[in-house]
Amino acid sequence: MSNQKQNGSIIAIITMMFLYAMIAFVTNLAAPIGVVMKNDPEVGGSNMLAMLGNFMNFFAYLFMGIPAGKMLTRIGYKKTALLGILVGFIGVTIQWISGFEALEGYQDNTIYLLGAFVSGLSVCLLNTVVNPMLNLLGGGGNRGNQLNLMGGTLNSLSGTLTPMLVGALIGTVTKETDFVQINLVLYIAMAVFASAFIALALIPIKDPEMGRVTAATTFEHTPWSFRHCTLGVIAIFLYVGVEVGIPGTLNFYIADTTEKGAGLLANAAAIGGFVAGTYWLLMLVGRLCSSFIADKVSSKTMMTVTNGMGMILILLAIFIPKTVMTSMPLFTGSSFEMTEVPVSAMLLVLCGLCTSIMWASIFNLATEGLGKYTAQASGIFMMMVVGGGVLPLIQNYIADNTGYMISYFVPLLAMAYMFWYALIGSKNVNKDIPVD
């Protein structure tokens, strides 16, 4: 590889890593802001309604997933990323407008949900770019998975800090708490989007040659023709629901002042943000550690082990009484502080180590051997990220009606499917289909 081409690849990789971090920042605004929405008298304390911002963010994937995949073919990776950043700036601006004092009742909530939906369109576009590009820049296989895990590390760092920042700004949530109190976070988000757009526009990035398609490329089949890809699409749908549902519902669980053992905590909303942030921190740790071994340990092995561990942790959390408390170190943004929380909450936080490797591993397993169909598959996967909105909504509906811990059977069953996919469903049985 020539020095010029190698330098170009390094620049492209660094840029994709930065976009990975932006994705988590925008996505993880929804759950902590949902605590504010939940305490709105119009919402009436419903966990399911409070999760609507998160739902709208992921619901956007259903509309943008396929078009985003087609954009990779028509306008390339860089222009698709620039469009995603521009749309993200608009989405965050709409969320900022929802905090205007002139808006009352359902008006501010409705505008916020619209902003969350537009932001979801942005994140979908960016996700469609970074995952296949890092996989292709790494040449597929274990190396492609390794690059995605490294990007996921930055994604987790951003995901760690976001709920903590919002939780610290919100503090104690009351019926008088309004969206205007999180404006500083939105100002930061708008500045990040504007800076990223300018920087990316000036950085020279070429599309990777491997798996490259053009408008003239002939497609005899579709990604759906590959069984391991189709089953992987289901796995992505379930995984994103697990990743978002575990800390999102846990945030409500801690912040809910009506729950004995979880709500009799001073500054519960802030602690809920720190608990969710610690979950994302453990995802960062898991991704960072796994990135060092991903070129030696297969995605299949990592997925099998982590899903098995995750199921055990969730089962223990469900059946241990919520009144059983323990002290655990919570990352507060600058240091760790020992804080009393339910044992079940600590076990669910530990699930962050398990979910850390799943996104990159599923994507790697499901796109292995797709060749020219990779970009199309990426669009389909992005569409199925809607699971991050659907499963948490179902989970919180169950939480409203039966209790928080019972609702964790939703991610438990999802993990069981992913365990099966890693062991059996990920095998490529369609190697006879030409992909060049």
Side-chain angles (χ1 to χ4, degrees):
M1 180 185 291
S2 66
N3 289 334
Q4 184 177 1
K5 186 174 181 181
Q6 186 175 23
N7 291 337
S9 296
I10 293 174
I11 292 173
I13 290 172
I14 293 174
T15 304
M16 294 304 108
M17 298 289 182
F18 176 73
L19 293 181
Y20 240 131
M22 286 186 63
I23 289 168
F25 180 71
V26 177
T27 302
N28 286 281
L29 284 175
I33 293 177
V35 177
V36 176
M37 190 172 175
K38 176 181 176 180
N39 282 270
D40 189 320
E42 301 289 346
V43 174
S46 170
N47 290 298
M48 187 181 77
L49 292 179
M51 212 67 174
L52 279 179
N54 176 80
F55 173 77
M56 293 299 288
N57 195 279
F58 285 97
F59 186 51
Y61 281 80
L62 194 61
F63 295 88
M64 185 54 72
I66 298 299
K70 292 181 178 179
M71 286 181 193
L72 293 186
T73 300
R74 294 181 180 179
I75 64 176
Y77 286 79
K78 180 176 178 177
K79 290 182 180 179
T80 303
L82 285 171
L83 179 61
I85 293 172
L86 178 61
V87 173
F89 182 87
I90 296 172
V92 174
T93 302
I94 295 174
Q95 292 181 62
W96 168 67
I97 292 173
S98 70
F100 283 9
E101 291 184 5
L103 302 173
E104 297 180 356
Y106 280 118
Q107 290 179 324
D108 55 353
N109 290 335
T110 302
I111 293 176
Y112 161 67
L113 293 176
L114 174 62
F117 179 81
V118 175
S119 295
L121 297 176
S122 161
V123 177
C124 180
L125 285 166
L126 296 178
N127 255 320
T128 307
V129 171
V130 298
N131 290 281
M133 190 161 186
L134 284 176
N135 196 45
L136 294 173
L137 286 169
N142 287 354
R143 174 60 177 164
N145 187 38
Q146 184 179 39
L147 287 180
N148 268 306
L149 283 169
M150 292 171 65
T153 301
L154 293 178
N155 181 275
S156 294
L157 175 61
S158 181
T160 298
L161 298 177
T162 302
M164 292 180 181
L165 180 59
V166 179
L169 287 173
I170 295 173
T172 302
V173 178
T174 67
K175 293 181 180 180
E176 285 70 41
T177 305
D178 207 341
F179 289 135
V180 72
Q181 293 184 227
I182 47 88
N183 273 353
L184 179 58
V185 179
L186 300 180
Y187 291 146
I188 294 172
M190 286 188 279
V192 169
F193 272 113
S195 302
F197 185 89
I198 295 172
L200 183 58
L202 298 175
I203 295 174
I205 296 179
K206 293 183 179 180
D207 288 2
E209 295 296 328
M210 178 185 172
R212 186 176 183 181
V213 296
T214 66
T217 303
T218 302
F219 297 98
E220 300 85 2
H221 300 274
T222 71
W224 298 108
S225 303
F226 299 83
R227 192 195 74 164
H228 72 294
C229 180
T230 300
L231 296 175
V233 167
I234 299 173
I236 285 288
F237 176 88
L238 295 174
Y239 162 66
V240 184
V242 169
E243 179 192 81
V244 176
I246 289 177
T249 305
L250 188 56
N251 197 350
F252 291 149
Y253 176 54
I254 297 296
D256 192 343
T257 56
T258 65
E259 283 281 358
K260 292 182 179 180
L264 301 179
L265 301 171
N267 212 14
I271 292 177
F274 293 146
V275 168
T278 303
Y279 167 93
W280 290 103
L281 177 65
L282 290 184
M283 283 194 68
L284 183 155
V285 172
R287 284 171 170 171
L288 181 62
C289 294
S290 60
S291 67
F292 289 108
I293 64 171
D295 58 339
K296 302 178 181 66
V297 180
S298 70
S299 301
K300 178 178 181 178
T301 299
M302 286 195 288
M303 271 201 70
T304 303
V305 173
T306 54
N307 274 290
M309 291 176 56
M311 287 189 288
I312 293 173
L313 289 172
I314 292 177
L315 277 172
L316 289 173
I318 290 173
F319 290 107
I320 291 179
K322 62 188 176 186
T323 53
V324 179
M325 306 289 285
T326 187
S327 292
M328 69 171 289
L330 293 183
F331 185 62
T332 61
S334 59
S335 62
F336 285 94
E337 295 183 7
M338 297 302 296
T339 307
E340 190 178 32
V341 298
V343 171
S344 55
M346 181 185 70
L347 293 171
L348 293 171
V349 167
L350 290 174
C351 287
L353 289 171
C354 302
T355 57
S356 63
I357 62 91
M358 294 181 192
W359 171 271
S361 297
I362 294 172
F363 191 90
N364 180 257
L365 289 171
T367 60
E368 190 68 25
L370 293 190
K372 64 183 180 182
Y373 299 100
T374 300
Q376 289 182 0
S378 180
I380 294 172
F381 286 127
M382 292 309 106
M383 184 176 69
M384 287 297 101
V385 172
V386 69
V390 175
L391 261 68
L393 205 65
I394 295 173
Q395 184 177 351
N396 280 277
Y397 174 80
I398 295 174
D400 282 335
N401 290 278
T402 62
Y404 285 104
M405 287 301 109
I406 296 298
S407 74
Y408 278 93
F409 274 107
V410 174
L412 176 65
L413 293 174
M415 278 191 172
Y417 173 86
M418 290 186 286
F419 183 82
W420 172 84
Y421 177 73
L423 281 178
I424 300 172
S426 60
K427 182 180 180 181
N428 185 358
V429 297
N430 304 108
K431 295 182 179 180
D432 56 321
I433 299 177
V435 296
D436 297 325

